[in-house]
Amino acid sequence: MPVNINNNTAQNQVQSSPAAVVGGPGAVLPLLASPVVYPAIVAVNGGSTAIVGVSGAVVIQPLVNPAAIAAYTINLSAPLPGGPAYIVVTCLGGITALTVNGATAVPAGALAAANSSLILVWNGSTWVIG
């Protein structure tokens, strides 16, 4: 799945006026490192996983469960220093009751549908849906 995370490219900048570009002329814009795909985890009912080591990148964590499971927990820690941070959790079979420790306001049914994804962004103090 291709992910374009470098929003500081000519194709995404306003070409008519350099001042119209976020930050104005000569501004240094934060860039994300290449996406990091963590090894797929076989999600089982009542299981959990921790996602750590996020730093200035998009981390993709695939959860592989062929059928829907009732409950699963994801434990998140604060990202390492290094710029903006994002986490994308993909789920093959769906999770009815998801708990995300270290995040705010993530609904239990966020990954309830098969082939669903959850995108989280670090807001400076906690992970939130992005």
Side-chain angles (χ1 to χ4, degrees), residues 38-44 47-51 60-66 69 72-74 89-92 95:
Y38 282 12
I41 295 174
V42 177
V44 296
S48 68
T49 190
I51 300 175
I60 302 168
Q61 176 63 73
L63 297 178
V64 181
N65 52 313
I69 58 176
Y72 197 78
T73 301
I74 298 173
V89 179
T90 63
C91 182
L92 182 62
I95 298 169

Side-chain angles (χ1 to χ4, degrees), residues 52-123:
V52 298
V54 179
S55 175
V58 174
V59 169
I60 302 168
Q61 176 63 73
L63 297 178
V64 181
N65 52 313
I69 58 176
Y72 197 78
T73 301
I74 298 173
N75 297 302
L76 305 175
S77 61
L80 302 170
Y86 299 86
I87 295 174
V88 178
V89 179
T90 63
C91 182
L92 182 62
I95 298 169
T96 305
L98 178 68
T99 301
V100 183
N101 296 320
T104 301
V106 176
L111 291 174
N115 298 312
S116 56
S117 297
L118 172 64
I119 300 171
L120 300 167
V121 61
W122 181 253
N123 72 1

